[in-house]
Amino acid sequence: MLSGLASMFRIETLVYQFIGFRKKQVPVPGVGRGVFFRASESSIHFLFSEDAIRRRLFLRFLRDGFSGVFLVRNGRWVSYGWYTSPGAGRPPHLPPWAGQMGAYWIFHCRTREEYRNQGNYKRLLAQIAQLINVRDDAAWVLCDTLPDNFASRSAVLQSGFRPAGVLTSYCPVPGVFLKSLWDRQREHFPPLEYAAEAAPRRAAG
């Protein structure tokens, strides 16, 4: 019975580590593709003026010391993503020890529905990785996604990340962690061979 209750609270996410990308693989914004904005109070109020839920959440992210990036086209957000820096806390969906690892965590990414399947998520990940690399060329950059989000998994692999195990957490309510474990050797399932073929193969370090 206890094991059954535990399984109800179990959340598994697939972890990825950034190892570098080839410029040919990840397109950057150009004419007609949009421009990037760093998250700030002014950019949040402008882009999410009619979206009170996101506006309040993103302003809270700023207050918590997180950094955000918005891909914008014609005055509308196309895609967005956030990341933490070492010593600046941890993404809300991760256990407390994730903020004490000395890693950058990319989290809370989304692409507007009508702009999906156009490479915008890959452009966003590339931009975030570049911003982190400029700040710290030896950075340890991680992200995670749900196992059934195949589109996200494919885009992450094609953006210079490689599988780095599975994070299992037991959360009876959001933000409350009874237990969590990062098995760095556990393989991702089902595998995405077609995406892995396109992923860079430069060794970490």
Side-chain angles (χ1 to χ4, degrees):
M1 181 175 178
L2 290 178
S3 61
L5 288 173
S7 65
M8 292 175 58
F9 302 142
R10 184 175 63 213
I11 301 173
E12 290 190 340
T13 61
L14 309 182
V15 182
Y16 296 85
Q17 178 181 348
F18 182 71
I19 61 172
F21 54 84
R22 300 176 187 144
K23 292 182 180 179
K24 292 181 180 179
Q25 290 180 305
V26 185
V28 296
V31 177
R33 289 182 172 176
V35 294
F36 287 112
F37 285 86
R38 299 289 295 271
S40 64
E41 288 193 11
S42 59
S43 64
I44 291 171
H45 281 292
F46 173 73
L47 293 170
F48 303 94
S49 61
E50 299 180 358
D51 188 339
I53 293 177
R54 285 193 176 94
R55 187 173 67 250
R56 286 195 295 266
L57 176 63
F58 293 168
L59 289 173
R60 190 175 80 227
F61 283 172
L62 277 184
R63 290 194 297 269
D64 289 342
F66 303 152
S67 300
V69 176
F70 306 132
L71 176 58
V72 179
R73 190 182 305 170
N74 299 324
R76 304 177 73 212
W77 68 268
V78 171
S79 190
Y80 59 72
W82 290 82
Y83 63 95
T84 66
S85 303
R90 44 91 183 184
H93 72 287
L94 295 181
W97 52 258
Q100 304 169 5
M101 296 170 47
Y104 293 80
W105 281 92
I106 299 174
F107 72 103
H108 205 78
C109 299
R110 184 177 178 83
T111 299
R112 193 187 288 269
E113 188 171 356
E114 59 265 39
Y115 293 112
R116 293 175 184 173
N117 301 314
Q118 300 175 22
N120 291 310
Y121 183 38
K122 289 186 286 186
R123 295 184 189 106
L124 177 77
L125 289 175
Q127 180 68 11
I128 293 176
Q130 288 171 346
L131 288 172
I132 294 174
N133 186 256
V134 168
R135 178 177 177 179
D136 181 359
D137 60 6
W140 184 18
V141 184
L142 302 169
C143 69
D144 67 312
T145 187
L146 292 171
D148 60 355
N149 192 340
F150 298 108
S152 176
R153 291 174 59 182
S154 178
V156 168
L157 285 171
Q158 294 180 61
S159 301
F161 290 78
R162 70 174 183 184
V166 178
L167 176 63
T168 303
S169 299
Y170 295 89
C171 305
V173 295
V176 176
F177 294 85
L178 299 180
K179 182 180 179 181
S180 58
L181 173 67
W182 179 14
D183 185 347
R184 304 190 189 193
Q185 305 304 316
R186 184 174 166 187
E187 294 184 357
H188 291 183
F189 185 85
L192 297 179
E193 291 89 354
Y194 69 95
E197 286 295 323
R201 300 187 180 281
R202 179 167 62 83

